Short mmCIF file of all heavy atoms in Angstrom, two decimals:
data_model
loop_
_atom_site.label_atom_id
_atom_site.label_comp_id
_atom_site.label_asym_id
_atom_site.label_seq_id
_atom_site.Cartn_x
_atom_site.Cartn_y
_atom_site.Cartn_z
N MET A 1 50.61 -97.44 136.67
CA MET A 1 51.40 -96.83 137.72
C MET A 1 51.71 -95.38 137.35
O MET A 1 52.00 -95.08 136.21
CB MET A 1 52.67 -97.63 137.93
CG MET A 1 53.62 -97.03 138.90
SD MET A 1 54.71 -98.30 139.54
CE MET A 1 55.17 -97.56 141.03
N ILE A 2 51.63 -94.50 138.31
CA ILE A 2 51.96 -93.09 138.09
C ILE A 2 53.46 -92.91 138.33
O ILE A 2 53.99 -93.30 139.37
CB ILE A 2 51.16 -92.19 139.05
CG1 ILE A 2 49.66 -92.34 138.76
CG2 ILE A 2 51.60 -90.74 138.91
CD1 ILE A 2 48.78 -91.63 139.74
N TYR A 3 54.15 -92.31 137.34
CA TYR A 3 55.59 -92.12 137.43
C TYR A 3 55.98 -90.70 137.82
O TYR A 3 57.05 -90.49 138.37
CB TYR A 3 56.26 -92.49 136.11
CG TYR A 3 56.10 -93.96 135.79
CD1 TYR A 3 55.16 -94.39 134.88
CD2 TYR A 3 56.87 -94.91 136.44
CE1 TYR A 3 55.00 -95.73 134.60
CE2 TYR A 3 56.72 -96.25 136.17
CZ TYR A 3 55.79 -96.66 135.25
OH TYR A 3 55.63 -97.99 134.98
N SER A 4 55.12 -89.73 137.52
CA SER A 4 55.43 -88.36 137.91
C SER A 4 54.14 -87.57 138.14
O SER A 4 53.10 -87.90 137.58
CB SER A 4 56.30 -87.66 136.87
OG SER A 4 55.59 -87.38 135.70
N ILE A 5 54.26 -86.54 138.96
CA ILE A 5 53.15 -85.64 139.26
C ILE A 5 53.70 -84.23 139.08
O ILE A 5 54.78 -83.91 139.58
CB ILE A 5 52.63 -85.81 140.70
CG1 ILE A 5 52.15 -87.24 140.93
CG2 ILE A 5 51.52 -84.81 140.99
CD1 ILE A 5 51.85 -87.55 142.38
N ALA A 6 52.96 -83.39 138.38
CA ALA A 6 53.38 -82.00 138.16
C ALA A 6 52.39 -81.06 138.82
O ALA A 6 51.21 -81.36 138.95
CB ALA A 6 53.48 -81.69 136.68
N GLY A 7 52.89 -79.93 139.26
CA GLY A 7 52.07 -78.89 139.84
C GLY A 7 52.68 -77.54 139.55
O GLY A 7 53.81 -77.46 139.07
N CYS A 8 51.94 -76.49 139.80
CA CYS A 8 52.51 -75.16 139.62
C CYS A 8 52.17 -74.30 140.83
O CYS A 8 51.23 -74.58 141.56
CB CYS A 8 52.05 -74.51 138.33
SG CYS A 8 50.29 -74.22 138.22
N ARG A 9 52.98 -73.30 141.02
CA ARG A 9 52.82 -72.39 142.15
C ARG A 9 53.26 -71.00 141.72
O ARG A 9 53.99 -70.84 140.75
CB ARG A 9 53.64 -72.85 143.33
CG ARG A 9 55.14 -72.83 143.05
CD ARG A 9 55.97 -73.11 144.28
NE ARG A 9 57.38 -73.17 143.98
CZ ARG A 9 58.19 -72.12 143.92
NH1 ARG A 9 57.71 -70.91 144.12
NH2 ARG A 9 59.46 -72.26 143.65
N MET A 10 52.79 -70.00 142.46
CA MET A 10 53.27 -68.64 142.23
C MET A 10 54.73 -68.56 142.68
O MET A 10 55.10 -69.13 143.71
CB MET A 10 52.43 -67.63 143.01
CG MET A 10 51.03 -67.46 142.49
SD MET A 10 50.05 -66.29 143.45
CE MET A 10 50.98 -64.78 143.18
N LYS A 11 55.53 -67.90 141.90
CA LYS A 11 56.96 -67.80 142.20
C LYS A 11 57.22 -67.13 143.55
O LYS A 11 58.16 -67.49 144.26
CB LYS A 11 57.64 -67.03 141.08
CG LYS A 11 59.12 -67.17 141.04
CD LYS A 11 59.66 -66.55 139.76
CE LYS A 11 61.15 -66.67 139.71
NZ LYS A 11 61.70 -66.06 138.52
N VAL A 12 56.37 -66.18 143.94
CA VAL A 12 56.58 -65.44 145.19
C VAL A 12 56.00 -66.16 146.40
O VAL A 12 56.16 -65.69 147.53
CB VAL A 12 56.00 -64.01 145.10
CG1 VAL A 12 56.72 -63.21 144.04
CG2 VAL A 12 54.51 -64.04 144.85
N ASN A 13 55.32 -67.29 146.19
CA ASN A 13 54.69 -68.01 147.30
C ASN A 13 55.68 -69.01 147.90
O ASN A 13 55.71 -70.18 147.54
CB ASN A 13 53.41 -68.71 146.83
CG ASN A 13 52.60 -69.24 147.97
OD1 ASN A 13 53.12 -69.49 149.04
ND2 ASN A 13 51.32 -69.43 147.73
N HIS A 14 56.47 -68.54 148.83
CA HIS A 14 57.52 -69.37 149.42
C HIS A 14 56.96 -70.48 150.30
O HIS A 14 57.57 -71.55 150.41
CB HIS A 14 58.51 -68.50 150.20
CG HIS A 14 59.15 -67.45 149.33
ND1 HIS A 14 60.04 -67.76 148.33
CD2 HIS A 14 58.98 -66.11 149.28
CE1 HIS A 14 60.41 -66.66 147.72
NE2 HIS A 14 59.79 -65.64 148.28
N ALA A 15 55.81 -70.27 150.90
CA ALA A 15 55.19 -71.30 151.73
C ALA A 15 54.81 -72.51 150.87
O ALA A 15 55.08 -73.66 151.24
CB ALA A 15 53.97 -70.76 152.46
N SER A 16 54.23 -72.27 149.71
CA SER A 16 53.89 -73.38 148.80
C SER A 16 55.15 -74.08 148.31
O SER A 16 55.18 -75.30 148.20
CB SER A 16 53.10 -72.86 147.60
OG SER A 16 51.81 -72.49 147.99
N ALA A 17 56.18 -73.31 148.02
CA ALA A 17 57.44 -73.90 147.59
C ALA A 17 57.99 -74.82 148.67
O ALA A 17 58.44 -75.94 148.37
CB ALA A 17 58.46 -72.81 147.26
N ASN A 18 57.96 -74.38 149.93
CA ASN A 18 58.47 -75.20 151.02
C ASN A 18 57.70 -76.51 151.15
O ASN A 18 58.30 -77.58 151.33
CB ASN A 18 58.42 -74.44 152.35
CG ASN A 18 59.42 -73.31 152.40
OD1 ASN A 18 60.42 -73.32 151.69
ND2 ASN A 18 59.16 -72.34 153.26
N VAL A 19 56.38 -76.45 151.04
CA VAL A 19 55.56 -77.67 151.14
C VAL A 19 55.89 -78.62 150.00
O VAL A 19 56.12 -79.82 150.22
CB VAL A 19 54.06 -77.32 151.15
CG1 VAL A 19 53.21 -78.57 151.00
CG2 VAL A 19 53.68 -76.57 152.41
N LEU A 20 55.92 -78.11 148.78
CA LEU A 20 56.22 -78.96 147.63
C LEU A 20 57.60 -79.58 147.73
O LEU A 20 57.80 -80.77 147.44
CB LEU A 20 56.06 -78.18 146.32
CG LEU A 20 54.63 -77.83 145.95
CD1 LEU A 20 54.59 -76.79 144.84
CD2 LEU A 20 53.85 -79.06 145.56
N HIS A 21 58.59 -78.81 148.14
CA HIS A 21 59.96 -79.33 148.27
C HIS A 21 60.04 -80.38 149.37
O HIS A 21 60.72 -81.40 149.20
CB HIS A 21 60.94 -78.19 148.52
CG HIS A 21 61.08 -77.27 147.35
ND1 HIS A 21 61.55 -75.99 147.46
CD2 HIS A 21 60.79 -77.45 146.03
CE1 HIS A 21 61.54 -75.42 146.27
NE2 HIS A 21 61.08 -76.28 145.39
N LYS A 22 59.33 -80.20 150.47
CA LYS A 22 59.32 -81.21 151.53
C LYS A 22 58.68 -82.51 151.06
O LYS A 22 59.02 -83.59 151.53
CB LYS A 22 58.58 -80.69 152.77
CG LYS A 22 59.39 -79.69 153.56
CD LYS A 22 58.64 -79.21 154.79
CE LYS A 22 59.46 -78.18 155.53
NZ LYS A 22 58.78 -77.69 156.74
N LEU A 23 57.74 -82.41 150.12
CA LEU A 23 57.09 -83.60 149.55
C LEU A 23 57.94 -84.27 148.46
O LEU A 23 57.57 -85.31 147.94
CB LEU A 23 55.72 -83.23 148.98
CG LEU A 23 54.67 -82.84 150.02
CD1 LEU A 23 53.43 -82.30 149.33
CD2 LEU A 23 54.32 -84.03 150.90
N GLY A 24 59.06 -83.64 148.11
CA GLY A 24 59.96 -84.24 147.12
C GLY A 24 59.86 -83.66 145.72
O GLY A 24 60.50 -84.16 144.80
N PHE A 25 59.08 -82.59 145.54
CA PHE A 25 58.97 -81.95 144.24
C PHE A 25 60.22 -81.12 143.98
O PHE A 25 60.81 -80.56 144.90
CB PHE A 25 57.76 -81.03 144.17
CG PHE A 25 56.44 -81.74 144.01
CD1 PHE A 25 55.87 -82.44 145.07
CD2 PHE A 25 55.75 -81.69 142.82
CE1 PHE A 25 54.66 -83.09 144.93
CE2 PHE A 25 54.52 -82.33 142.67
CZ PHE A 25 53.99 -83.03 143.72
N LYS A 26 60.61 -81.03 142.71
CA LYS A 26 61.75 -80.21 142.29
C LYS A 26 61.25 -79.16 141.32
O LYS A 26 60.41 -79.43 140.45
CB LYS A 26 62.81 -81.06 141.59
CG LYS A 26 63.32 -82.24 142.40
CD LYS A 26 64.17 -81.78 143.54
CE LYS A 26 64.70 -82.99 144.29
NZ LYS A 26 65.18 -82.69 145.59
N ASP A 27 61.77 -77.92 141.44
CA ASP A 27 61.43 -76.87 140.49
C ASP A 27 61.95 -77.27 139.11
O ASP A 27 63.09 -77.74 138.98
CB ASP A 27 62.04 -75.53 140.90
CG ASP A 27 61.39 -74.95 142.14
OD1 ASP A 27 60.26 -75.35 142.47
OD2 ASP A 27 62.02 -74.09 142.79
N GLU A 28 61.10 -77.10 138.10
CA GLU A 28 61.46 -77.56 136.76
C GLU A 28 61.59 -76.43 135.76
O GLU A 28 62.49 -76.42 134.95
CB GLU A 28 60.39 -78.55 136.28
CG GLU A 28 60.73 -79.27 135.03
CD GLU A 28 59.76 -80.39 134.76
OE1 GLU A 28 58.73 -80.12 134.11
OE2 GLU A 28 60.02 -81.51 135.20
N ALA A 29 60.68 -75.45 135.80
CA ALA A 29 60.71 -74.37 134.81
C ALA A 29 59.92 -73.18 135.32
O ALA A 29 58.99 -73.32 136.10
CB ALA A 29 60.12 -74.84 133.49
N GLU A 30 60.31 -72.00 134.84
CA GLU A 30 59.55 -70.78 135.13
C GLU A 30 58.48 -70.63 134.07
O GLU A 30 58.70 -70.92 132.90
CB GLU A 30 60.47 -69.56 135.13
CG GLU A 30 61.45 -69.55 136.27
CD GLU A 30 62.26 -68.27 136.33
OE1 GLU A 30 61.84 -67.25 135.74
OE2 GLU A 30 63.32 -68.30 136.96
N ILE A 31 57.30 -70.17 134.49
CA ILE A 31 56.19 -69.97 133.56
C ILE A 31 55.46 -68.67 133.89
O ILE A 31 55.65 -68.11 134.97
CB ILE A 31 55.16 -71.13 133.63
CG1 ILE A 31 54.59 -71.27 135.06
CG2 ILE A 31 55.77 -72.44 133.16
CD1 ILE A 31 53.39 -72.19 135.16
N SER A 32 54.66 -68.20 132.97
CA SER A 32 53.71 -67.12 133.22
C SER A 32 52.32 -67.73 133.06
O SER A 32 52.11 -68.55 132.18
CB SER A 32 53.87 -65.99 132.21
OG SER A 32 55.12 -65.37 132.39
N TYR A 33 51.40 -67.36 133.94
CA TYR A 33 50.05 -67.90 133.82
C TYR A 33 49.02 -66.88 134.27
O TYR A 33 49.33 -65.92 134.94
CB TYR A 33 49.90 -69.23 134.56
CG TYR A 33 50.04 -69.16 136.06
CD1 TYR A 33 48.91 -69.05 136.87
CD2 TYR A 33 51.28 -69.21 136.67
CE1 TYR A 33 49.03 -69.00 138.24
CE2 TYR A 33 51.41 -69.16 138.04
CZ TYR A 33 50.28 -69.05 138.83
OH TYR A 33 50.41 -68.99 140.19
N GLU A 34 47.77 -67.12 133.83
CA GLU A 34 46.67 -66.20 134.10
C GLU A 34 45.97 -66.55 135.41
O GLU A 34 45.76 -67.71 135.71
CB GLU A 34 45.65 -66.27 132.97
CG GLU A 34 46.18 -65.85 131.63
CD GLU A 34 45.16 -66.01 130.53
OE1 GLU A 34 44.07 -66.56 130.78
OE2 GLU A 34 45.46 -65.58 129.41
N CYS A 35 45.62 -65.53 136.17
CA CYS A 35 44.82 -65.67 137.39
C CYS A 35 43.58 -64.81 137.25
O CYS A 35 43.52 -63.91 136.41
CB CYS A 35 45.61 -65.18 138.61
SG CYS A 35 47.07 -66.13 138.96
N SER A 36 42.61 -65.05 138.08
CA SER A 36 41.38 -64.24 138.13
C SER A 36 40.71 -64.14 136.76
O SER A 36 40.35 -63.05 136.31
CB SER A 36 41.68 -62.85 138.68
OG SER A 36 42.19 -62.94 139.98
N GLY A 37 40.59 -65.27 136.09
CA GLY A 37 39.92 -65.28 134.79
C GLY A 37 40.68 -64.55 133.70
O GLY A 37 40.09 -64.08 132.74
N GLY A 38 41.98 -64.44 133.84
CA GLY A 38 42.80 -63.79 132.82
C GLY A 38 43.07 -62.33 133.08
O GLY A 38 43.76 -61.69 132.29
N ASP A 39 42.55 -61.79 134.18
CA ASP A 39 42.77 -60.38 134.49
C ASP A 39 44.19 -60.10 134.97
O ASP A 39 44.67 -58.97 134.84
CB ASP A 39 41.78 -59.91 135.57
CG ASP A 39 40.35 -59.89 135.06
OD1 ASP A 39 40.14 -59.80 133.83
OD2 ASP A 39 39.42 -59.97 135.90
N ILE A 40 44.84 -61.11 135.54
CA ILE A 40 46.19 -60.93 136.10
C ILE A 40 47.11 -61.98 135.49
O ILE A 40 46.78 -63.15 135.42
CB ILE A 40 46.17 -61.11 137.63
CG1 ILE A 40 45.23 -60.10 138.28
CG2 ILE A 40 47.57 -61.01 138.21
CD1 ILE A 40 44.96 -60.35 139.75
N ILE A 41 48.28 -61.53 135.03
CA ILE A 41 49.32 -62.44 134.56
C ILE A 41 50.41 -62.43 135.62
O ILE A 41 50.89 -61.37 136.02
CB ILE A 41 49.92 -61.99 133.20
CG1 ILE A 41 48.84 -61.81 132.16
CG2 ILE A 41 50.99 -62.97 132.75
CD1 ILE A 41 48.13 -63.08 131.76
N THR A 42 50.81 -63.61 136.11
CA THR A 42 51.79 -63.69 137.17
C THR A 42 52.88 -64.69 136.82
O THR A 42 52.71 -65.53 135.93
CB THR A 42 51.12 -64.06 138.51
OG1 THR A 42 52.07 -63.92 139.56
CG2 THR A 42 50.58 -65.47 138.49
N ASP A 43 54.02 -64.59 137.49
CA ASP A 43 55.13 -65.52 137.29
C ASP A 43 54.94 -66.73 138.19
O ASP A 43 54.54 -66.59 139.34
CB ASP A 43 56.47 -64.84 137.62
CG ASP A 43 56.80 -63.73 136.65
OD1 ASP A 43 56.43 -63.85 135.47
OD2 ASP A 43 57.43 -62.76 137.07
N GLY A 44 55.26 -67.87 137.66
CA GLY A 44 55.10 -69.10 138.43
C GLY A 44 56.22 -70.07 138.18
O GLY A 44 57.14 -69.81 137.39
N MET A 45 56.14 -71.20 138.85
CA MET A 45 57.10 -72.28 138.70
C MET A 45 56.35 -73.59 138.49
O MET A 45 55.33 -73.83 139.15
CB MET A 45 57.97 -72.44 139.96
CG MET A 45 58.87 -71.28 140.26
SD MET A 45 60.18 -71.02 139.05
CE MET A 45 61.16 -72.49 139.25
N ILE A 46 56.81 -74.41 137.59
CA ILE A 46 56.32 -75.77 137.45
C ILE A 46 57.22 -76.64 138.31
O ILE A 46 58.45 -76.55 138.24
CB ILE A 46 56.36 -76.26 136.00
CG1 ILE A 46 55.38 -75.46 135.15
CG2 ILE A 46 56.05 -77.75 135.91
CD1 ILE A 46 55.38 -75.82 133.70
N CYS A 47 56.60 -77.46 139.15
CA CYS A 47 57.32 -78.38 140.02
C CYS A 47 56.90 -79.79 139.65
O CYS A 47 55.76 -80.04 139.29
CB CYS A 47 56.99 -78.12 141.48
SG CYS A 47 57.36 -76.46 142.01
N ARG A 48 57.83 -80.74 139.76
CA ARG A 48 57.52 -82.11 139.39
C ARG A 48 58.11 -83.07 140.42
O ARG A 48 59.21 -82.91 140.90
CB ARG A 48 58.08 -82.44 138.02
CG ARG A 48 57.71 -83.82 137.51
CD ARG A 48 58.16 -84.04 136.08
NE ARG A 48 57.64 -83.05 135.17
CZ ARG A 48 56.45 -83.10 134.57
NH1 ARG A 48 55.64 -84.10 134.81
NH2 ARG A 48 56.09 -82.15 133.73
N TYR A 49 57.29 -84.09 140.75
CA TYR A 49 57.75 -85.21 141.58
C TYR A 49 57.87 -86.42 140.67
O TYR A 49 56.93 -86.75 139.94
CB TYR A 49 56.75 -85.50 142.70
CG TYR A 49 57.11 -86.72 143.49
CD1 TYR A 49 58.05 -86.65 144.50
CD2 TYR A 49 56.52 -87.94 143.22
CE1 TYR A 49 58.41 -87.77 145.22
CE2 TYR A 49 56.86 -89.07 143.93
CZ TYR A 49 57.81 -88.98 144.93
OH TYR A 49 58.16 -90.10 145.63
N ILE A 50 59.02 -87.06 140.70
CA ILE A 50 59.23 -88.27 139.90
C ILE A 50 59.46 -89.42 140.85
O ILE A 50 60.34 -89.38 141.71
CB ILE A 50 60.44 -88.10 138.95
CG1 ILE A 50 60.17 -86.94 138.00
CG2 ILE A 50 60.70 -89.40 138.18
CD1 ILE A 50 61.33 -86.58 137.10
N SER A 51 58.61 -90.46 140.72
CA SER A 51 58.72 -91.61 141.62
C SER A 51 59.96 -92.42 141.30
O SER A 51 60.46 -92.41 140.17
CB SER A 51 57.45 -92.49 141.54
OG SER A 51 57.36 -93.05 140.27
N LYS A 52 60.42 -93.13 142.30
CA LYS A 52 61.66 -93.92 142.13
C LYS A 52 61.34 -95.37 141.91
O LYS A 52 60.35 -95.89 142.21
CB LYS A 52 62.53 -93.76 143.35
CG LYS A 52 62.96 -92.34 143.52
CD LYS A 52 63.75 -92.15 144.77
CE LYS A 52 64.08 -90.66 144.89
NZ LYS A 52 64.74 -90.31 146.08
#
């Protein structure tokens, strides 16, 4: 059985945040991650859904 699902999104992407929050995900931590093969470093959020 799967107990949790994690995902990440760009911090400035409010549309993705809205979708994840509507699905029951909660913001868990701020992160930095690489985009475009490491050419761009951006701020992001780790979101997690925990089943009940």
